[in-house]
Amino acid sequence: MTFGEQPAYLRVASDLREKIANGSLPPHTRLPSQARIREEYGVSDTVALEARKVLMAEGLVEGRSGSGTYVRERPVPRRIARSGYRPASGATPFRQEQAIEGARGTWESSSAQEPASAEVAARLDIEPGDRVMRTRYVYRDGGEPMMVSTSWEPLAVTGRTPVMLPEEGPLGGCGVVERMAAIDVVVDNVVEQVGARPGLAEELVELGGVPGHVVIVVERTYYASGRAVETADVVVPADRYRISYHLPVR
């Protein structure tokens, strides 16, 4: 093998990937069998198997029990807006975008108190084990799951106040900024870090993905005078959505 040459299984996977991209292997077409790949490309069974594994890991094909491996339908990615602008109503970015586009957005949520994990405590600058309100959201667009979000708020800030439960009370669902303002906590900064990773099993069940699918993770934290008052993980399927940022020019 010359320097820089790809391993045989990657070359085979690349050729099959190109056939999927150009339509030679359209969606719902059965992927060539391991034996067929071996014969067509003149490679070993091991190489053929590894090439198929690459396509599976990339989410280009999916296995169907008792039937074989098929090319997946590739959805056209849609956008999810993240914005530095917040309307006077205090609507969250998801609800703001849904209202603007007349989309059929719905969401489910549940809240419960729990001790902060070491990771959550570090993000909120509190002690591990301190009590937080954990709220889990599942967002849908036209019935299709599009995003899951988990937020944590320190009860040292919101406990025994009218906004302790994010989705209940007079300001339920109004968003962090407006809810905090109601208890005289002025949110003046928000930090978002965007990354990607394989989806966790429970996330993929909620989002309709399969093992190995990649998700986009937005790690968001709201601050009031340097104090973290809420942190959240927003998880989006990477193959179906793109994060679109609209930031004000100062």
Side-chain angles (χ1 to χ4, degrees):
M1 179 181 295
T2 60
F3 181 77
E5 185 179 353
Q6 285 186 320
Y9 77 95
L10 289 181
R11 295 200 305 274
V12 173
S14 178
D15 188 69
L16 290 170
R17 187 188 303 114
E18 176 60 26
K19 290 180 178 179
I20 292 172
N22 66 25
S24 298
L25 287 172
H28 311 297
T29 297
R30 188 170 182 173
L31 190 71
S33 67
Q34 187 169 314
R36 176 72 178 276
I37 293 174
R38 182 191 64 214
E39 295 170 3
E40 182 175 343
Y41 293 94
V43 296
S44 67
D45 280 329
T46 299
V47 168
L49 177 60
E50 290 302 313
R52 289 163 61 89
K53 286 182 178 179
V54 169
L55 300 179
M56 184 78 74
E58 292 176 350
L60 295 174
V61 299
E62 60 185 355
R64 299 179 186 174
S65 180
S67 179
T69 304
Y70 292 80
V71 177
R72 291 184 64 239
E73 185 85 47
R74 298 293 291 173
V76 177
R78 299 177 56 191
R79 75 183 183 94
I80 292 178
R82 311 293 296 170
S83 177
Y85 165 74
R86 300 301 288 272
S89 66
T92 65
F94 174 79
R95 295 170 191 182
Q96 177 186 345
E97 181 178 280
Q98 292 287 313
I100 291 172
E101 297 191 358
R104 299 167 294 163
T106 60
W107 51 90
E108 306 158 7
S109 67
S110 61
S111 296
Q113 295 186 34
E114 66 179 25
S117 67
E119 179 186 355
V120 169
R123 287 163 59 171
L124 291 172
D125 196 21
I126 59 177
E127 293 297 320
D130 284 357
R131 304 298 291 179
V132 295
M133 184 64 72
R134 175 185 183 272
T135 303
R136 180 79 166 178
Y137 298 87
V138 179
Y139 295 93
R140 304 178 190 278
D141 182 4
E144 176 186 310
M146 61 179 293
M147 179 168 61
V148 295
S149 175
T150 306
S151 70
W152 298 268
E153 295 179 353
L155 288 173
V157 175
T158 62
R160 300 182 183 276
T161 73
V163 301
M164 185 173 72
L165 291 168
E167 293 296 317
E168 297 183 20
L171 293 176
C174 285
V176 175
V177 176
E178 187 172 356
R179 288 176 47 250
M180 293 296 169
I183 57 173
D184 298 322
V185 175
V186 180
V187 173
D188 53 20
N189 193 24
V190 59
V191 174
E192 292 194 347
Q193 299 183 70
V194 182
R197 59 167 170 75
L200 304 178
E202 58 269 26
E203 294 168 342
L204 295 175
V205 166
E206 291 177 311
L207 293 169
V210 298
H213 277 194
V214 173
V215 294
I216 301 170
V217 182
V218 180
E219 182 182 300
R220 179 197 69 207
T221 305
Y222 281 101
Y223 294 90
S225 300
R227 181 184 188 182
V229 297
E230 190 255 20
T231 193
D233 285 338
V234 180
V235 180
V236 180
D239 63 336
R240 285 186 272 149
Y241 293 94
R242 296 291 181 266
I243 304 295
S244 175
Y245 279 86
H246 301 268
L247 305 175
V249 176
R250 301 187 184 279

